[in-house]
Amino acid sequence: MLKLMKLEFAKIKVSSIVRAFVIIAASILAFTILTGSIIDEGERMFDNASQMLAFGEILCRISYGIFGGVMLGNVVIGEYKEGTIQNLFSYPISRKRIMGCKLCIVFGFTFITILLSEIIFGIGMFLANRWITIVTDPITLMQIMGRLSGAVFSAGATAGLSMIPLYFGMRRKSVTATIVAGVVINCLVNSSFGGDQGQLSLFSISMVPAGLCILGLAIAYVSYRDIDKRDVI
């Protein structure tokens, strides 16, 4: 499996992925700093540090959840669309292992990027708030450390539900359908509702992201369970 992953990594432009990760992380930081610094009628965007950190977490989940959908489209569906998957399946290696390796790479990248981005966001806002007033109460490292367990759950759940677009992409062998499904699912799950009664999202109900994660992993498994017996066309 490790040798297969090395072969896949050789095909993936890792530098482009790292560049995209840095750009997205920097954009989330800049956007949060900008919106938090604006004072509208004497009020700031964020009432406290916890609200600001939760806002950044939502942006990270949506951005890198969509990023995972794009990777899924390029690494898996793109090979079907371009026909290169046939050459890959001609190797004396189980098709199931090849597809499993691809899905593990996408899941792993999504999990790591979300977790890292939330850590970078927390540290970045801790440093930025010392120079620019984004929230009136101080942001402490203990607050950031206290959110790590939640960040691990957030990253794992989002990485799992980012497998759901695979169902739509495999049906039509369409990269576009995969990406669009990823955008819709991640935005829907993380969208806030509730108005003046308190902002909630489907992701804040722990059973929802956990259930969607299991669904995504089930779809990933079903997509390659019988791949050794199926025609790739």
Side-chain angles (χ1 to χ4, degrees), residues 14-231:
V14 179
S15 60
S16 299
I17 294 175
V18 173
R19 191 183 307 115
F21 170 79
V22 172
I23 292 173
I24 294 171
S27 299
I28 292 173
L29 274 171
F31 178 73
T32 307
I33 291 172
L34 179 62
T35 54
S37 302
I38 297 174
I39 301 176
D40 183 20
E41 297 182 356
E43 295 185 358
R44 293 185 177 276
M45 172 73 174
F46 308 112
D47 296 328
N48 50 59
S50 296
Q51 190 181 75
M52 183 271 295
L53 292 172
F55 177 77
E57 182 181 329
I58 291 172
L59 290 181
C60 289
R61 285 201 306 263
I62 294 176
S63 300
Y64 292 103
I66 295 172
F67 183 71
V70 173
M71 274 198 68
L72 192 65
N74 291 332
V75 174
V76 180
I77 308 302
E79 297 233 29
Y80 276 93
K81 184 177 180 181
E82 296 171 6
T84 55
I85 196 73
Q86 292 177 318
N87 295 330
L88 193 60
F89 284 165
S90 66
Y91 297 161
I93 304 172
S94 169
R95 292 181 178 184
K96 187 180 293 187
R97 291 185 63 188
I98 293 174
M99 186 60 70
C101 176
K102 286 177 173 290
L103 295 177
C104 284
I105 287 174
V106 175
F107 181 92
F109 259 107
T110 307
F111 176 83
I112 292 171
T113 51
I114 293 173
L115 185 59
L116 281 179
S117 67
E118 292 195 28
I119 294 172
I120 291 171
F121 177 83
I123 296 174
M125 298 310 296
F126 167 76
L127 295 174
N129 199 55
R130 302 183 68 177
W131 299 95
I132 306 171
T133 303
I134 304 169
V135 288
T136 52
D137 59 328
I139 303 171
T140 65
L141 289 176
M142 289 300 295
Q143 281 180 300
I144 298 171
M145 294 295 292
R147 299 181 70 89
L148 279 179
S149 59
V152 172
F153 172 80
S154 175
T158 305
L161 68 87
S162 291
M163 295 287 110
I164 296 177
L166 184 66
Y167 170 79
F168 302 95
M170 289 293 282
R171 289 190 68 182
R172 296 178 177 273
K173 301 298 186 292
S174 170
V175 175
T176 302
T178 307
I179 296 174
V180 170
V183 172
V184 172
I185 291 169
N186 280 281
C187 289
L188 180 63
V189 172
N190 290 284
S191 293
S192 298
F193 59 89
D196 296 333
Q197 302 302 317
Q199 293 296 313
L200 294 173
S201 70
L202 291 176
F203 201 94
S204 64
I205 306 170
S206 58
M207 291 299 294
V208 174
L212 290 175
C213 176
I214 294 172
L215 175 62
L217 294 177
I219 289 174
Y221 173 71
V222 171
S223 69
Y224 77 91
R225 179 185 57 186
D226 299 325
I227 201 167
D228 287 329
K229 303 176 184 177
R230 296 200 308 262
D231 193 342

